[in-house]
Every structure is written in structure tokens, then in C-alpha cells.
Amino acid sequence: MLQQTITLILAVAGVLAAAGCLWASWNAHRAALTAQEVAKHAENIERRGLLRELMVTAHRVIAESSQMGLLVEDLKAEYRVLASFSGQTGGSRERLLIQRAESTQKELSSLRDEAQNLVEQRTQLFDASEEELTQALLKFDGFLVQVLRIKDTVEREIAAVAGDNRLHRGRHLKALSVSR
């Protein structure tokens, strides 16, 4: 009887140990599934962040390059005024400077068009890999830097030519007042 009791106790303990092992393995499996879900969710959040950053950068390229169209027109107007003051309206220097400004505008137009295409096709980017999104972001970050660099150059050029025009205008007004 004592032997049977000990055997029964050992059998119950074995069953309880097996149940404990099953319960532990079930919890480990649930934890692994949860970890997979969390990792997948984190990956989706990171992808959405990359996609959002890419779209913001593309929109900035579009906005800055569009604004550059107005700045280039201002620069061309300043060149025309300068040519007028120097008596070289329609001259080769004026044409060269205006062509250079227009070439800058064309260069920016191609960057703007590429950014616009990306924005229009953003739904296709949902299937892109993280690496593809990162590469596109780097590309458009480079475009943005290029646009901002050109914008800075054009703004400085406008300021310089406008300063020259103010000097010419002042001399012209002074000459008119002296001749009276």
C-alpha cells in the first residue's frame, strides 16, 4: 500500500510536471508570437516613417524648385535692367546671362518633375523595401540640397545685380538732376 501511494504520488507529480512544461511551452510560444507581431509592427512604423520623410522631402523639392522659377524671373529682370543702364540692351552679355539663368531653371525643372512623379506614384511605394525607400530618400535629400544650394546662389546673384542697378539708378538720377 505504501508502495502504491508513493507510485501514485510520483505519477501525479509527473503529470503535474508535464502539465507545467506544457503550460510553460505554450506561454513561450505566445511570447514568441507577440514578439514577432511587435517586430512586424515596429518595422511597419519605421517604413511609414521613411515613406513620410520621403514624401516630405519630395514636396520640399517641388516647393523650393517652384519658388526658384520666380527667383530666376527676378534675376532675368535685374539683368535686363542692368543691360538697359549700361546701354547694352539686347547685347550678347545680356543674352548670355539670361540663358544661364534659364538653364538653371531647366535644371531645377527636371528635379521638380522627378519629385512630382514620385509624389504621384506614392501608392506604389507601399510595396517597396526599406532599402529602396532609404535609397530614394537619400536621392531626394540630395536633390533638396542641390535646389537649396542653387537657390542660395541665385539669391546672392539677384542681390549683387540689384545692388549694381541701384548704383546705376543713383548715378542716372544724379546726372539728371545736375543737367537741370
Side-chain angles (χ1 to χ4, degrees), residues 173-180:
L173 292 174
K174 190 174 184 179
L176 287 175
S177 66
V178 171
S179 66
R180 289 186 179 180

Side-chain angles (χ1 to χ4, degrees), residues 49-169:
L50 274 172
L51 187 57
R52 183 176 23 261
E53 192 173 345
L54 177 58
M55 287 299 109
V56 167
T57 303
H59 280 289
R60 283 198 62 203
V61 167
I62 293 166
E64 293 290 346
S65 59
S66 294
Q67 182 186 18
M68 283 299 301
L70 298 173
L71 289 174
V72 167
E73 289 303 317
D74 288 347
L75 181 60
K76 288 167 34 178
E78 291 293 340
Y79 283 145
R80 288 183 182 108
V81 169
L82 184 61
S84 174
F85 278 128
S86 63
Q88 297 178 351
T89 302
S92 62
R93 178 162 172 74
E94 177 189 8
R95 284 193 310 269
L96 176 68
L97 292 171
I98 289 175
Q99 283 176 342
R100 192 176 75 192
E102 287 171 346
S103 129
T104 298
Q105 196 169 10
K106 286 177 186 172
E107 176 185 351
L108 292 174
S109 178
S110 68
L111 297 178
R112 183 184 63 240
D113 291 346
E114 194 165 341
Q116 188 66 43
N117 286 338
L118 179 79
V119 168
E120 290 169 359
Q121 297 172 354
R122 69 180 163 264
T123 55
Q124 295 173 355
L125 292 173
F126 292 125
D127 298 329
S129 71
E130 187 176 325
E131 184 177 327
E132 290 171 326
L133 291 175
T134 301
Q135 290 299 320
L137 180 59
L138 289 173
K139 177 182 174 181
F140 283 93
D141 275 341
F143 285 177
L144 182 59
V145 167
Q146 186 177 355
V147 170
L148 293 174
R149 180 187 49 79
I150 292 170
K151 179 181 178 184
D152 181 59
T153 301
V154 169
E155 285 175 336
R156 281 188 280 124
E157 197 168 345
I158 289 171
V161 177
D164 289 346
N165 285 340
R166 279 191 296 278
L167 288 175
H168 284 295
R169 196 174 293 118

